[in-house]
C-alpha cells in the first residue's frame, strides 16, 4: 500500500493546522513525546517539524509534502513544488507580514537611514538579500526569539519581525517603517513525490478538502420560513453561492428558504429579513464548502 509522508508544522501553526485537518475529515492525534502523530488515514504518515525547516525536509524527500510559510521557502531557497496557497493562521485569515521596526523615538524613518546599522531577525538570508537588492549596507544577525528585546537592550538598531496585527511590536515601544514581505501558509511537495500519480492524487484530495474547510469558515447557512407573498422581497435580500433553495411547507401558503451567506453579513442581514417577513430564522455552521 502506498503512503504519503506528510509534514505538520510545529509551533504557532500546529493547532490551527490540526483543527483545519479535523474539519476536512482527518483526525490527527499529537503525543507530546512523539514527533509522529497518529492520523485516521492508513495511507498517510504524519511527522511534526518546525515550519522553518519544513521546506528543507520536503526538498530532500524526507517528507513527501507539508505545510509551511512562503517566508521559510524563500529563506531556505528550497527547490520544492508550491502546490497551493492556504490562507490561514494562528490569529486571523489575513497574511502575516515581515516588517522592519525601530524604536518609536528613533531617527530612522527610511530604509536608507539604516546604512551601516545592525538588524536582528530570524529571517537572516531573506533580509540580507533584501538590503543587498536595495544597495544598503547593513549587518544582519540571527535572533531566535524575543527579537523585539534586541532593540530595547541596544543589541540592534532595528529588527525584521513577523506580525499579523502589529500589536506586539507597538506594545514593545517600536514602530513599523517598512513592510518587506507578506506571507501565508503554502502546501508544498517534493518534486519526485509530486510526479508520482498516486501521491499527486492524494495531495490533490487533501488540498480540495482543506480549501473546502477554509471556505466554510467564512460562510454560514441560513434557513427561514416566510409567507409565499413575501418570497420575492426576502429573496432580493439574500446573497448566495448560486440561488437560495425554496421548498413549500405542507398544507400552507408558506415556504422554507435556505441559503449560504458570508459570516460578516449575518448581523446586518437577520434584522432586515425579519422586517421583510421571515420567521424562525436558523443560523448554522458549515464544515466544508466545495
Amino acid at each position: 500500500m502506498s503512503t504519503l509522508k506528510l509534514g505538520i508544522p510545529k509551533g504557532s501553526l500546529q493547532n490551527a493546522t490540526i483543527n483545519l485537518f479535523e474539519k476536512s475529515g482527518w483526525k490527527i492525534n499529537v503525543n507530546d513525546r512523539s514527533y509522529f502523530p497518529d492520523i485516521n488515514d492508513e495511507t498517510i504518515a504524519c511527522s511534526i517539524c518546525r515550519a522553518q525547516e519544513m521546506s528543507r525536509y520536503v526538498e530532500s524527500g524526507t517528507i513527501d509534502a507539508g505545510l509551511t510559510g512562503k517566508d521559510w521557502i524563500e529563506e531556505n531557497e528550497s527547490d520544492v513544488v508550491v502546490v497551493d496557497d492556504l490562507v490561514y493562521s494562528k490569529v486571523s485569515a489575513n497574511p502575516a507580514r515581515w516588517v522592519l521596526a525601530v524604536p518609536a523615538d528613533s531617527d530612522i524613518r527610511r530604509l536608507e537611514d539604516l546604512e551601516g546599522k545592525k538588524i536582528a531577525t530570524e529571517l537572516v538570508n531573506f533580509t540580507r538579500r533584501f538590503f543587498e537588492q536595495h544597495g544598503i549596507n547593513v549587518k544582519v544577525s540571527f535572533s531566535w526569539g524575543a527579537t523585539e528585546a534586541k532593540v530595547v537592550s541596544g543589541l540592534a538598531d532595528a529588527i525584521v519581525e513577523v506580525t499579523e496585527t502589529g500589536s506586539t511590536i507597538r506594545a514593545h515601544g517600536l514602530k513599523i517603517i517598512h513592510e518587506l514581505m507578506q506571507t501565508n501558509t503554502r502546501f508544498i511537495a517534493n518534486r519526485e513525490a509530486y510526479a508520482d500519480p498516486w501521491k499527486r492524487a492524494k495531495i490533490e484530495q487533501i488540498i480540495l478538502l482543506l480549501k473546502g474547510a477554509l471556505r466554510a469558515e467564512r460562510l454560514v447557512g441560513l434557513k427561514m420560513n416566510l409567507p409565499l407573498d413575501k418570497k420575492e422581497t426576502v429573496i432580493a435580500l439574500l446573497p448566495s453561492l448560486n440561488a437560495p433553495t425554496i421548498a413549500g411547507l405542507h398544507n400552507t401558503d408558506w415556504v422554507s428558504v435556505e441559503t449560504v451567506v458570508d459570516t460578516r453579513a449575518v448581523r446586518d442581514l437577520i434584522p432586515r429579513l425579519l422586517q421583510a417577513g421571515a420567521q424562525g430564522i436558523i443560523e448554522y455552521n458549515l464544515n466544508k464548502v466545495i
Side-chain angles (χ1 to χ4, degrees):
M1 181 179 62
S2 298
T3 302
L4 181 75
K5 295 177 290 185
L6 179 66
I8 303 297
K10 182 178 176 64
S12 62
L13 272 179
Q14 180 175 315
N15 289 338
T17 301
I18 291 172
N19 290 339
L20 180 60
F21 268 85
E22 185 169 0
K23 290 180 181 178
S24 304
W26 285 279
K27 178 72 172 177
I28 300 173
N29 295 308
V30 178
N31 186 324
D32 291 340
R33 293 170 293 181
S34 173
Y35 285 94
F36 304 99
D38 297 324
I39 184 169
N40 61 342
D41 187 333
E42 59 184 5
T43 65
I44 298 177
C46 284
S47 300
I48 299 283
C49 69
R50 295 174 66 234
Q52 293 91 328
E53 300 173 310
M54 183 74 72
S55 63
R56 293 173 180 162
Y57 289 129
V58 171
E59 181 179 17
S60 69
T62 305
I63 296 173
D64 293 323
L67 297 101
T68 188
K70 169 191 172 185
D71 44 4
W72 300 115
I73 300 170
E74 296 202 13
E75 171 71 2
N76 297 325
E77 298 184 276
S78 300
D79 181 23
V80 295
V81 179
V82 178
V83 184
D84 216 316
D85 291 354
L86 297 168
V87 182
Y88 73 97
S89 71
K90 63 179 179 177
V91 176
S92 68
N94 299 318
R97 302 175 296 140
W98 282 91
V99 298
L100 180 69
V102 298
D105 59 355
S106 173
D107 293 333
I108 299 172
R109 295 182 175 86
R110 305 174 304 152
L111 291 176
E112 292 76 11
D113 296 336
L114 284 159
E115 177 68 33
K117 303 292 187 181
K118 300 177 186 176
I119 299 176
T121 182
E122 189 179 355
L123 204 70
V124 173
N125 296 327
F126 177 86
T127 301
R128 282 177 179 156
R129 293 196 304 270
F130 177 87
F131 279 95
E132 285 171 1
Q133 291 166 5
H134 285 76
I136 301 170
N137 180 37
V138 295
K139 300 175 183 177
V140 183
S141 60
F142 178 77
S143 174
W144 174 241
T147 306
E148 295 90 350
K150 302 295 191 302
V151 173
V152 176
S153 61
L155 295 175
D157 301 295
I159 63 169
V160 170
E161 181 67 316
V162 67
T163 183
E164 290 187 26
T165 65
S167 58
T168 301
I169 289 175
R170 291 191 296 271
H172 283 83
L174 307 179
K175 63 181 179 182
I176 296 171
I177 65 170
H178 193 82
E179 180 180 301
L180 280 70
M181 169 176 50
Q182 289 194 359
T183 181
N184 57 21
T185 309
R186 298 194 167 186
F187 196 108
I188 60 174
N190 173 270
R191 293 194 176 277
E192 184 176 341
Y194 198 60
D196 178 275
W198 183 89
K199 290 184 178 181
R200 182 166 184 160
K202 189 66 178 180
I203 289 169
E204 290 174 348
Q205 175 200 6
I206 293 170
I207 289 175
L208 174 69
L209 296 178
L210 290 179
K211 294 187 80 170
L214 284 170
R215 193 177 297 113
E217 289 182 351
R218 301 189 295 271
L219 301 168
V220 293
L222 279 184
K223 190 171 185 177
M224 68 208 75
N225 297 330
L226 55 132
L228 189 58
D229 61 358
K230 301 291 186 181
K231 183 180 74 171
E232 297 305 324
T233 302
V234 170
I235 289 176
L237 297 173
L238 291 176
S240 65
L241 293 179
N242 293 303
T245 300
I246 301 174
L249 298 183
H250 183 60
N251 287 338
T252 70
D253 58 354
W254 283 60
V255 294
S256 173
V257 177
E258 190 167 9
T259 190
V260 173
V261 301
D262 190 300
T263 55
R264 295 167 297 184
V266 173
R267 63 186 181 191
D268 296 323
L269 180 58
I270 288 179
R272 295 170 64 197
L273 292 172
L274 289 171
Q275 292 172 2
Q279 296 183 19
I281 300 173
I282 299 172
E283 176 186 342
Y284 53 91
N285 293 328
L286 306 169
N287 280 333
K288 289 181 282 292
V289 177
I290 307 296

